[in-house]
Amino acid sequence: MMKENTLSYAIRLACAGGLLAAGVSIPAFAQTEPSIQRVEITGSSLRRTANETALPVTVLGRADIEKSGVQTTEELLGQISTVSSAGGQVNGGQSGLTTYGKSAVSLRGLGSDKTLVLVNGRRLANFAGGATSGADVNINAIPLSAIERVEVLQDGASGVYGSDAIAGVVNFILRKDFKGIELSGLHGQPTEGGGAKQNKIGLVAGFGDYDNDRFSVVVSAAFEKEGNLLGAARDYAKSDTNLPYYAGGATETGRIEGTWDFPGTATAFDAGKNTRSATNPYGISGTGYGNPSAKLGQCAEIGMAPRSGLGFGSGAPNNALSTPNCTFDTGPFVSLVPNRKFTGGTMSGRFKVNENNELYASGLFSKNEFTNPIQPAPLRQAFYAGNTRFIGSGVEPALLIHPSNPNYKIAADYLNSVGLGAMVGHTLAVSQRTFLLGSRTTNDIAKQHQLVLGGKGMIGNLNYDVAYVHNKSKTDGNVIDGFASIFELSKVLNNPATHWNPWAPLGQQSPEVAKLIDATKYSGPTIAAKSKNEGIDAKVDGTLMTLPAGEVGIAAGLQARDESFDLTPAPATLTGDVIGLGGAITSVHAKRSVWALFAETEVPFTKQLTGNLAVRRDSYSDFGKTTNYKASVRYQPMESVVARASVGSGFRAPSLTALYAPQQVNTSEQFTDPQFPGNGQIQVTSIAGGNPNLKPEESDQYSIGLVLAPSKSFTASFDWYNIKVDGLIAAPSAQQIVSGYRRGAAGFDQLVEVLPSGEISKIFQFNANVNSVKTQGMDVDLRFRENLMGGKFTANLNGTWVKKFDLVNTDGEIEDSVGTIVRPDGNPLVASPTGVILKWKHNLSVGYQTGPWTATLTQRYYKGYRTANDLDGNPHHVKGQDQYDLVASWSGWRSLKLSVGVRNLFDKQPPLFIHNGSQFQSGYDVYQYDPRGRFAYVSASYKF
């Protein structure tokens, strides 16, 4: 045992208070100095107390979590100021994206793939989803009710932990010291209504006394259910058009895409075939030749909205021709909050072999089920790209209306009226929004398992810990409504005998045609994915010698594990034949072996100055070996001051999917072509996939910090950080490629194919080591606590200020990415495919506790930032926003605790937001605002 002096205790309390925006209520300082047992702290293999470390480690205790008002692990981490929306993922952001319900955390905005997530100090399996997953952990696989504390290391630690720890480490410590049975429940819902109700039930049970019974076992279980919320339920999100700020461009029903003059000859095809040319001047155009319903002023009758802009931008027959169009308003149909069901459980057991040795086991299981309804699927010629079922079939890869169809007259009259009479008499390709199929509804089930079996204790003067670790993440994707076989649907509608009407009100067809369409529907699996890692780790730590200034600590160990990722598409998705899923999904089967040796020492040079050095050697079977280090010093010249600093190197190995995902044909995400802005948001053929020649990302970092405790009531810490990462692995977005090509940036001409008309028909989105980034900033933590009026008063402020986030993009330009999601010219930043690097973000909470009553009021604030330009090309800025949360609890009868809380107490609406193509929702930033608005809840717990 060792004792802490007053400053050390203050520092430890400041760390233990956490960085939450939710009522952290820390007791006033004790009058005697408590004894604190040494334990392993995140960021080191040596045992010490939290105050001893030279690294900025934040510890969020169970009490802090309960007072925060958060209901999921995602919400918990989302309120930490060093967590950035850039490079992360949230549940609400998944609508329209194939994320399979993943939530991921990004420290410093460097990306979730560079933030290491641990449970009880050990890795989880990376999330298994689509072919672009496998690089990060789904944090919502960890049940919030099972967490005893969270330790957040806000400093690079590849030298200690290996890959993924460039930005820092989030270590979830699960509950293992508990006796009795505790039941808990919660009900919450938005006060505005519309859905998104939440219900939770939790159980924690502990048996045995380790000291007296020689064993202890703690188990927990959690059951959660959350309803969905659609855009139609919120005024700011119910339309994807808000002039003059933004306008939707989603695929409409009935747009004439061009003449189809090559019947029966489709073999290999993509969006660049059957295009306008000298022999076929009215061939397929990405922007089309207008919509007959728009000309008649009947967009609303077909479930669309009027849209201005060119029918086609350039090329034959008339560059200046403008044709009327409709557009589909996705706003009401987009899911803001998905349906979610969660079931999870944990187990922790210890058995005392003797006074110095024990055996232990721990396990985690969780099941997240997401059911997500979104708008009916679009279908146009570009979306046929990569669908192998059409090759040699004689079925045309487009939706066609033949001159023999009685409804062809609608098209003929329109074409003659706008000067396109030369197209009359040709078979026409048209676009559709498939209303008769219903809303697309996916059902994705993600499971996470962890099993640890080990032993630890003492041999001589050394502590040892040896364990076998097994981790698995498994995802099963399914579609349950609103989907169909593109091939079968095209086969039915393209039959000249099927007199379908592309301009029927709301897509309604005759009973005979409707029956044929219904027969093409597909419901069933999409993917089965599995990510595994298993292996052993062993380490020892202890005292090497004793110097006049104190003990010299040492630690050493080894780790060995096998990693694998397997993705098996369902037959229908393997061919790219399911409408609305974005193209073919190709199987992935990859594996690697990893081993590592590491050592660490800590030397007290004087009573005031301590130094630490860690070195790690990692070997990957598929790309080689790397050595990294971490060095730090801690200096305490007086009782009220601590200075600390660290320097280190880091690396991140390419994920298995980044290396080995097959290169395949798909449809790109939406983008705007700067050369044809009137075309709105479009999509083209995309060739994307892995790159087996990738090299690891490498980093260098340093940090300098100062902790002050001028009194027992007040502590303050300031930590400056500087991180540089080279060789960033990225698959450039469609918008980045197109914008780079149009401005003539070097190398981008290799990533596009262009039609004779000048329009882009194909892009290449392969993974590559293409960028570097440097970020600097400061973390601030101020804490005050004092006895007041017979109770305990606390006030805490935690914030992060980012001075620099400079990313060198593919063409060598430096992008200043702080406080903006776009470049100065309005094009998207490479650094912000999701979220924004906020200039300043803080959480300020005040709490008061008297007797059985506790109340905490929290302010969550972020500084405003620039969004995409409005439709007139003017820069647009989001205003800074503060929201307030209030939590109150009472525990005045036995072991009963009752709580009520309100998040977003004043029901603040989101500031107007213009996205850069990184989300499907409109009107608000999905990464900064909770669309539930004011959310009220009640909870209760009782311990037996």
Side-chain angles (χ1 to χ4, degrees):
M1 295 284 186
M2 66 169 292
K3 290 187 176 182
E4 300 176 279
N5 59 35
T6 303
L7 170 66
S8 299
Y9 184 45
I11 297 169
R12 188 178 64 83
L13 282 177
C15 291
L19 304 184
L20 286 176
V24 179
S25 179
I26 301 176
F29 287 103
Q31 298 302 310
T32 60
E33 298 175 359
S35 295
I36 304 298
Q37 185 175 5
R38 288 176 179 249
V39 295
E40 188 173 319
I41 298 296
T42 300
S44 172
S45 298
L46 294 168
R47 297 168 190 262
R48 75 276 298 284
T49 57
N51 70 284
E52 291 182 274
T53 179
L55 305 177
V57 179
T58 300
V59 182
L60 316 177
R62 184 68 210 168
D64 305 327
I65 297 171
E66 291 175 350
K67 294 172 184 177
S68 71
V70 299
Q71 304 306 326
T72 66
T73 307
E74 174 192 295
E75 292 178 358
L76 170 65
L77 295 182
Q79 295 186 97
I80 299 174
S81 66
T82 51
V83 171
S84 174
S85 60
Q89 178 64 48
V90 298
N91 282 340
Q94 73 162 332
S95 182
L97 304 172
T98 51
T99 62
Y100 301 99
K102 179 187 74 175
S103 296
V105 60
S106 170
L107 291 173
R108 307 291 188 204
L110 292 172
S112 57
D113 56 359
K114 286 175 276 294
T115 301
L116 179 60
V117 175
L118 306 174
V119 170
N120 293 331
R122 291 184 166 91
R123 292 172 177 267
L124 288 172
N126 285 340
F127 182 75
T132 58
S133 65
D136 49 21
V137 169
N138 179 18
I139 57 173
N140 269 347
I142 305 165
L144 183 67
S145 60
I147 298 172
E148 177 64 31
R149 68 181 187 276
V150 183
E151 297 176 354
V152 181
L153 172 64
Q154 299 156 164
D155 198 76
S158 291
V160 177
Y161 293 107
S163 191
D164 311 340
I166 286 177
V169 182
V170 179
N171 187 10
F172 296 93
I173 309 300
L174 304 184
R175 302 175 77 169
K176 61 182 180 180
D177 295 317
F178 183 87
K179 290 187 66 176
I181 299 175
E182 182 182 82
L183 294 174
S184 61
L186 177 142
H187 172 75
Q189 63 184 64
T191 59
E192 188 175 346
K197 294 181 179 180
Q198 189 175 76
N199 293 289
K200 298 174 61 175
I201 298 175
L203 167 69
V204 180
F207 310 96
D209 184 290
Y210 181 77
D211 291 324
N212 298 321
D213 302 329
R214 302 176 65 88
F215 79 94
S216 66
V217 177
V218 177
V219 296
S220 73
F223 308 91
E224 304 174 10
K225 184 176 181 180
E226 185 173 19
N228 78 305
L229 182 72
L230 295 177
R234 294 293 181 263
D235 287 341
Y236 52 81
K238 67 182 181 182
S239 176
D240 65 10
T241 296
N242 183 1
L243 302 177
Y245 301 106
Y246 53 86
T251 300
E252 68 199 87
T253 278
R255 184 176 67 198
I256 296 175
E257 297 197 274
T259 61
W260 192 266
D261 287 343
F262 307 99
T265 61
T267 53
F269 57 87
D270 59 31
K273 299 292 176 65
N274 198 40
T275 55
R276 291 196 303 275
S277 66
T279 58
N280 182 24
Y282 302 103
I284 299 301
S285 164
T287 52
Y289 299 86
N291 192 319
S293 294
K295 177 69 174 179
L296 298 172
Q298 295 176 352
C299 287
E301 293 188 14
I302 59 172
M304 304 293 126
R307 177 188 175 198
S308 60
L310 293 176
F312 50 88
S314 64
N318 184 344
N319 291 347
L321 183 63
S322 178
T323 52
N325 277 289
C326 302
T327 186
F328 178 65
D329 191 345
T330 62
F333 302 91
V334 169
S335 177
L336 310 184
V337 177
N339 283 298
R340 182 178 69 94
K341 294 180 181 178
F342 174 86
T343 303
T346 64
M347 181 277 294
S348 176
R350 303 167 65 196
F351 174 74
K352 181 186 287 188
V353 177
N354 54 43
E355 290 303 315
N356 292 322
N357 300 278
E358 71 174 59
L359 300 175
Y360 63 87
S362 66
L364 178 149
F365 167 79
S366 67
K367 175 184 175 183
N368 269 295
E369 181 176 0
F370 288 84
T371 303
N372 200 31
I374 60 173
Q375 60 270 20
L379 188 58
R380 54 190 176 91
Q381 203 274 335
F383 296 167
Y384 287 76
N387 191 327
T388 58
R389 287 196 65 185
F390 286 85
I391 298 175
S393 68
V395 178
E396 303 303 325
L399 284 180
L400 306 178
I401 181 168
H402 301 283
S404 60
N405 187 326
N407 298 301
Y408 188 88
K409 186 178 184 301
I410 299 173
D413 291 346
Y414 160 76
L415 293 171
N416 284 322
S417 72
V418 294
L420 294 172
M423 299 176 69
V424 176
H426 294 261
T427 297
L428 302 173
V430 295
S431 66
Q432 280 289 288
R433 182 65 63 166
T434 54
F435 287 102
L436 283 189
L437 296 176
S439 295
R440 281 174 288 172
T441 306
T442 57
N443 178 255
D444 300 319
I445 300 173
K447 297 179 181 178
Q448 187 90 31
H449 306 261
Q450 184 189 65
L451 174 65
V452 180
L453 302 173
K456 62 182 179 180
M458 294 190 67
I459 299 178
N461 293 324
L462 292 177
N463 302 296
Y464 73 90
D465 191 343
V466 180
Y468 162 78
V469 183
H470 175 85
N471 284 296
K472 182 168 68 175
S473 171
K474 189 175 185 296
T475 299
D476 293 300
N478 301 275
V479 296
I480 57 180
D481 197 16
F483 294 85
S485 162
I486 300 175
F487 179 84
E488 298 297 338
L489 182 63
S490 301
K491 184 178 179 180
V492 165
L493 296 183
N494 292 353
N495 186 338
T498 303
H499 295 160
W500 73 296
N501 183 1
W503 302 280
L506 295 178
Q508 297 298 313
Q509 303 292 326
S510 68
E512 294 78 16
V513 174
K515 185 176 181 180
L516 292 173
I517 292 175
D518 189 67
T520 70
K521 294 183 72 170
Y522 173 79
S523 62
T526 56
I527 66 162
K530 182 170 60 177
S531 173
K532 291 176 59 178
N533 76 60
E534 64 178 337
I536 60 171
D537 61 58
K539 60 185 175 182
V540 295
D541 73 275
T543 299
L544 178 64
M545 65 179 71
T546 300
L547 299 177
E551 298 175 345
V552 177
I554 59 167
L558 62 88
Q559 295 174 342
R561 69 180 185 273
D562 291 326
E563 298 179 350
S564 64
F565 182 89
D566 295 279
L567 171 64
T568 303
T573 57
L574 185 64
T575 61
D577 191 42
V578 178
I579 187 173
L581 283 183
I585 301 174
T586 306
S587 60
V588 182
H589 302 286
K591 60 183 179 180
R592 64 160 53 126
S593 297
V594 185
W595 64 261
L597 298 174
F598 58 90
E600 182 179 355
T601 185
E602 186 162 282
V603 180
F605 299 111
T606 68
K607 292 291 186 180
Q608 295 78 31
L609 179 65
T610 302
N612 181 283
L613 175 64
V615 179
R616 183 182 179 97
R617 177 72 166 172
D618 288 87
S619 176
Y620 283 71
S621 61
D622 53 354
F623 81 85
K625 301 177 181 179
T626 180
T627 301
N628 292 276
Y629 75 96
K630 182 77 172 180
S632 60
V633 294
R634 178 182 183 276
Y635 178 58
Q636 185 174 354
M638 60 186 69
E639 189 177 28
S640 60
V641 177
V642 169
R644 57 194 182 195
S646 72
V647 63
S649 63
F651 84 108
R652 187 184 78 84
S655 70
L656 289 171
T657 52
L659 287 166
Y660 305 119
Q663 297 178 358
Q664 63 191 62
V665 180
N666 269 316
T667 303
S668 76
E669 67 273 27
Q670 290 183 324
F671 65 90
T672 300
D673 188 340
Q675 186 163 320
F676 302 102
N679 295 347
Q681 294 273 293
I682 62 173
Q683 293 170 289
V684 299
T685 300
S686 166
I687 311 296
N691 180 356
N693 297 317
L694 289 174
K695 297 179 180 180
E697 299 171 331
E698 298 182 346
S699 69
D700 293 288
Q701 66 81 36
Y702 68 84
S703 65
I704 302 173
L706 182 66
V707 184
L708 305 173
S711 71
K712 293 182 178 180
S713 300
F714 178 70
T715 60
S717 66
F718 307 89
D719 287 282
W720 173 266
Y721 66 89
N722 183 96
I723 305 172
K724 186 177 187 295
V725 184
D726 291 316
L728 284 177
I729 298 171
S733 71
Q735 188 68 68
Q736 291 161 9
I737 292 173
V738 174
S739 297
Y741 171 71
R742 292 304 190 196
R743 68 176 180 265
F748 280 90
D749 57 339
Q750 306 293 318
L751 302 180
V752 300
E753 287 187 6
V754 182
L755 301 175
S757 64
E759 294 174 315
I760 290 172
S761 64
K762 184 186 293 184
I763 60 174
F764 298 88
Q765 296 179 282
F766 302 130
N767 294 315
N769 296 94
V770 294
N771 310 114
S772 65
V773 66
K774 183 176 183 179
T775 181
Q776 296 176 334
M778 179 174 289
D779 300 322
V780 179
D781 194 68
L782 308 176
R783 302 194 171 271
F784 176 80
R785 58 196 62 81
E786 188 63 85
N787 293 332
L788 180 67
M789 299 175 61
K792 299 174 181 178
F793 173 80
T794 62
N796 310 310
L797 182 141
N798 162 254
T800 294
W801 172 67
V802 181
K803 178 185 179 182
K804 175 187 295 186
F805 197 101
D806 288 349
L807 188 141
V808 180
N809 63 26
T810 308
D811 54 324
E813 291 182 313
I814 296 178
E815 294 184 349
D816 181 358
S817 306
V818 178
T820 180
I821 64 171
V822 294
R823 295 161 46 90
D825 60 8
N827 287 313
L829 289 168
V830 175
S832 298
T834 62
V836 60
I837 308 295
L838 293 170
K839 184 74 173 179
W840 171 257
K841 172 184 176 182
H842 80 239
N843 302 287
L844 172 64
S845 64
V846 293
Y848 187 73
Q849 179 180 349
T850 179
W853 295 94
T854 300
T856 304
L857 179 67
T858 300
Q859 180 200 55
R860 294 179 279 128
Y861 173 81
Y862 63 82
K863 183 177 174 59
Y865 54 96
R866 182 180 171 183
T867 72
N869 293 349
D870 66 22
L871 298 178
D872 296 322
N874 300 314
H876 180 263
H877 292 80
V878 162
K879 295 181 179 180
Q881 187 172 67
D882 56 353
Q883 293 184 25
Y884 292 84
D885 305 331
L886 179 63
V887 181
S889 63
W890 175 80
S891 55
W893 184 75
R894 296 186 178 180
S895 297
L896 176 67
K897 183 175 182 179
L898 302 176
S899 299
V900 295
V902 182
R903 289 175 61 80
N904 191 359
L905 180 64
F906 301 109
D907 199 22
K908 284 200 171 182
Q909 300 298 289
L912 178 69
F913 174 76
I914 307 175
H915 67 75
N916 62 357
S918 62
Q919 66 181 59
F920 278 78
Q921 298 89 338
S922 298
Y924 76 105
D925 187 343
V926 299
Y927 298 96
Q928 304 299 333
Y929 185 79
D930 183 344
R932 296 178 302 178
R934 182 166 53 209
F935 184 84
Y937 67 90
V938 294
S939 66
S941 65
Y942 188 80
K943 182 178 178 181
F944 298 91

